[in-house]
Amino acid sequence: MSWKDKLGLVHIYTGNGKGKTTAAFGLAVRMLGSGGKVIILQFMKAPDVYGEQKKIAECGAVIESFGLPKFVHGKPEPDDIEAAKKALQRAKEVVSSGEWDLVVLDEICVAMGFGMLDVGEVREMIKNKAPNTELVLTGRYCPEELFELADYVTEMREVKHPYQRGILARKGVEF
């Protein structure tokens, strides 16, 4: 029996604290270091903006970013919703394919929280996951009804953050 035969669990990293994507990317590096195949689909992040995107690809992961080069504040616009739906369609293909040892769906929970994706569709995608694919969902606002499908649920809780003192996101730390 191969170590890959023991894969297949579902992780959720959610909450209002920093570190959800960072934890998922750390797991991706661990999987790559063990010889696994990794794909990361980013739901709310545009390509070539965040420091981790280029480096994780250099390490051997496939990364596909579906976000638009703007932030979604409040009510998403039709093009934001279309981008999220395109990402979900790709995620359904990837998650069920059995080709990947680790699939990270970065910020999918935010897309659900903003009403850009149907939670029922995401539930079905999780249920149709290939048996030996480890799956990670990240982002704030994860619907609690997904917790029952997960093997790991980690909530990052903000206790203190520099933006409370007016310090904005810094390259290399927050993006």
Side-chain angles (χ1 to χ4, degrees):
M1 174 182 259
S2 164
W3 65 272
K4 291 184 178 189
D5 294 329
K6 296 179 183 177
L7 298 178
L9 301 183
V10 177
H11 308 237
I12 295 174
Y13 303 150
T14 193
N16 69 346
K18 180 183 177 340
K20 298 169 290 290
T21 296
T22 304
F25 274 68
L27 183 59
V29 168
R30 179 174 282 164
M31 182 64 73
L32 290 165
S34 297
K37 286 185 67 179
V38 175
I39 187 168
I40 300 166
L41 306 180
Q42 294 188 306
F43 279 72
M44 305 290 292
K45 295 176 179 171
D48 303 320
V49 174
Y50 298 87
E52 68 269 17
Q53 291 169 321
K54 180 179 178 186
K55 271 300 167 197
I56 199 77
E58 288 175 7
C59 290
V62 172
I63 184 162
E64 299 175 15
S65 303
F66 292 83
L68 304 177
K70 61 179 179 168
F71 288 105
V72 177
H73 294 289
K75 187 175 183 209
E77 296 178 18
D79 58 343
D80 297 313
I81 295 168
E82 186 59 36
K85 287 183 177 182
K86 184 177 177 187
L88 181 59
Q89 184 57 44
R90 177 69 173 137
K92 288 176 182 179
E93 296 165 6
V94 166
V95 167
S96 65
S97 73
E99 179 182 347
W100 305 95
D101 299 309
L102 176 65
V103 176
V104 175
L105 305 179
D106 189 34
E107 307 293 4
I108 189 171
C109 299
V110 175
M112 287 185 285
F114 283 165
M116 299 163 68
L117 299 176
D118 177 69
V119 177
E121 266 191 270
V122 175
R123 279 183 67 84
E124 283 306 305
M125 177 195 63
I126 295 169
K127 288 179 180 179
N128 293 322
K129 179 185 72 58
N132 295 107
T133 296
E134 202 83 3
L135 177 62
V136 178
L137 291 76
T138 76
R140 297 169 187 253
Y141 320 122
C142 186
E144 287 190 21
E145 64 193 81
L146 295 184
F147 292 0
E148 68 188 56
L149 299 176
D151 300 287
Y152 300 85
V153 177
T154 302
E155 183 174 2
M156 309 316 200
R157 183 176 65 89
E158 180 182 299
V159 175
K160 185 176 181 180
H161 196 289
Y163 75 69
Q164 296 164 337
R165 297 190 332 249
I167 298 173
L168 301 178
R170 297 164 301 138
K171 185 174 181 139
V173 178
E174 283 88 17
F175 69 95

